[in-house]
Amino acid sequence: MTNTSAFLINGLLKAGGALIAVNEIRGMILAGPVLYGIYQSGGTLTAIWIGLCSLGGIALSVIVPLIAAKKINKYTSERLNKQPANA
């Protein structure tokens, strides 16, 4: 990977940071109706189980992009800081 492509990927990753923040807000918004549904059902075991599964799916949709962004950022920063060997 050349420095130019690593620089481009790093720039796109930084621009995607705003989208990740929006994704986290979306996750919080999606969790509201799930928690309200558990409350309305009276806290039955089935409602709690379905609610936990729904919240787990929402959490994965928020956490996985964060982990991927960190790994890509680490990879590109290593490539940008790598000095070419002079013969």
Side-chain angles (χ1 to χ4, degrees):
M1 179 182 288
T2 64
N3 281 345
T4 306
S5 61
F7 183 73
L8 179 65
I9 291 172
N10 199 17
L12 289 173
L13 187 62
K14 288 180 182 178
L19 294 175
I20 289 176
V22 170
N23 190 29
E24 290 186 27
I25 293 169
R26 180 193 63 89
M28 288 186 265
I29 291 170
L30 288 175
V34 173
L35 296 174
Y36 184 71
I38 293 173
Y39 170 75
Q40 287 291 63
S41 72
T44 62
L45 187 58
T46 304
I48 291 171
W49 177 254
I50 292 172
L52 287 175
C53 292
S54 297
L55 291 173
I58 293 167
L60 282 176
S61 74
V62 172
I63 293 170
V64 169
L66 287 174
I67 293 171
K70 286 181 183 178
K71 287 189 177 196
I72 293 171
N73 190 19
K74 180 182 174 187
Y75 179 75
T76 56
S77 65
E78 286 175 359
R79 291 293 182 170
L80 284 174
N81 293 332
K82 188 176 181 181
Q83 296 295 328
N86 293 333

